[in-house]
Every structure is written in structure tokens, then in C-alpha cells.
Amino acid sequence: MGSWGSLGPALFSLAGVVLGAGGSLFGQYLVTRASTRQSEIEEAAVHRAELKQVILKFLSIASRVEKAVLTPPHADVGAAGTAIEPLVDDLWLAQAEIDLSARSEPLRGAAYRYAARLAEAARGELTDAAALRAPQVQFFDAAYADMWPGQRRAAGGISTPR
């Protein structure tokens, strides 16, 4: 029993050191994990802000192209066609910005298809506004999915996790 009397406190001290080191390592792991998660959240917010700006620019130009193309005075493509060419060029530049900023291929493709339809309309190959709606809806859905991955758009505008 004499050996337990001197060995017991040493073992309890060693166990305390091991538990303290383990707790310290676990605490460091939790701090690192929280820091990484915070960094990911901040990066996603920066991406959303940048992408939102690029998308709004694209939509602004797309709206002007659509308005110029689909208004009744645009019956002859000749003189009006030369006035719309700079807008179409700006549209393709805005589409290229989306290409560079987007994280997902569906957004890149949807932006290209929408811009291509608008360019067709500008050339006089498309006169029905309804033909622009499907590419426009696909673009909006892809933009939402790229900005908020993992969330679905609900009918009332409230997002729900997938």
C-alpha cells in the first residue's frame, strides 16, 4: 500500500496534464473551425455583393435592349439597328463580367442564352417578347442559385434550405 500512496498522486497529476492538454487541443480545434466558418461566410457575402452588382448591370442593359427592340417604333431595323448596336455591345460585355464573376456554370450559360436571345431580337430575328421570358426566368433562377447555393426559391419570395 506504500507504493500506491506515492504513485497515486503522480498518476493523478499525469492524468490532469493529459486531460488539460486534450482540452486545450480540442478548444484550439473549435476556435479554428469557427474561424474557418466565419471566413467562408465573409467570402460568400463578398461574392454575393460583387455578383449582385454585375447582375444588376447586366439586367439594366438587357432591359434597355429589350425596350429598344420591342417598342413599336423599332419597325425598321436600319436606322434603329445602328443605334442599338452599342447597347448590344455593352450587353455582351456585361455578360462577360458575369462569366468572370459567376461560381456556377448554370449562371454562365443562362446569361449567355439570355444575351443571345436579346441579340437576336436586336437583329430583328425575334419580335415576340414571350420568347425572351424563358431565358430571362432561367437567368434569374441561376443567379439566385449562384448567390445563395443550397437554398430554393419559394413562391412567396422566402427562401428555404434544401
Side-chain angles (χ1 to χ4, degrees):
M1 189 140 147
S3 67
W4 178 249
S6 63
L7 190 59
L11 287 177
F12 284 129
S13 292
L14 183 59
V17 169
V18 169
L19 283 175
S24 179
L25 289 174
F26 184 68
Q28 194 65 25
Y29 165 75
L30 290 178
V31 167
T32 302
R33 190 174 80 171
S35 175
T36 301
R37 180 69 182 133
Q38 183 65 30
S39 175
E40 289 171 355
I41 290 170
E42 290 172 3
E43 182 181 315
V46 168
H47 172 258
R48 270 194 302 278
E50 176 186 343
L51 189 59
K52 178 183 173 185
Q53 185 177 19
V54 171
I55 287 171
L56 289 176
K57 178 181 177 183
F58 176 81
L59 289 174
S60 171
I61 296 169
S63 172
R64 292 189 308 197
V65 169
E66 188 173 336
K67 196 180 295 182
V69 167
L70 297 177
T71 51
H74 183 66
D76 71 296
V77 181
T82 58
I84 202 167
E85 285 177 14
L87 268 179
V88 173
D89 290 342
D90 290 345
L91 178 72
W92 284 115
L93 287 173
Q95 185 273 328
E97 285 185 54
I98 289 177
D99 235 12
L100 294 172
S101 298
R103 285 187 176 167
S104 68
E105 191 57 39
L107 177 56
R108 290 181 186 105
Y112 177 82
R113 286 187 297 278
Y114 186 33
R117 282 295 179 139
L118 286 168
E120 288 174 5
R123 289 189 304 266
E125 299 171 10
L126 186 68
T127 57
D128 186 18
L132 293 173
R133 294 304 154 238
Q136 185 182 49
V137 168
Q138 290 171 354
F139 173 76
F140 279 115
D141 289 342
Y144 186 90
D146 197 85
M147 290 177 71
W148 291 282
Q151 293 184 355
R152 285 184 292 179
R153 289 176 62 182
I158 301 170
S159 62
T160 56
R162 285 186 186 169

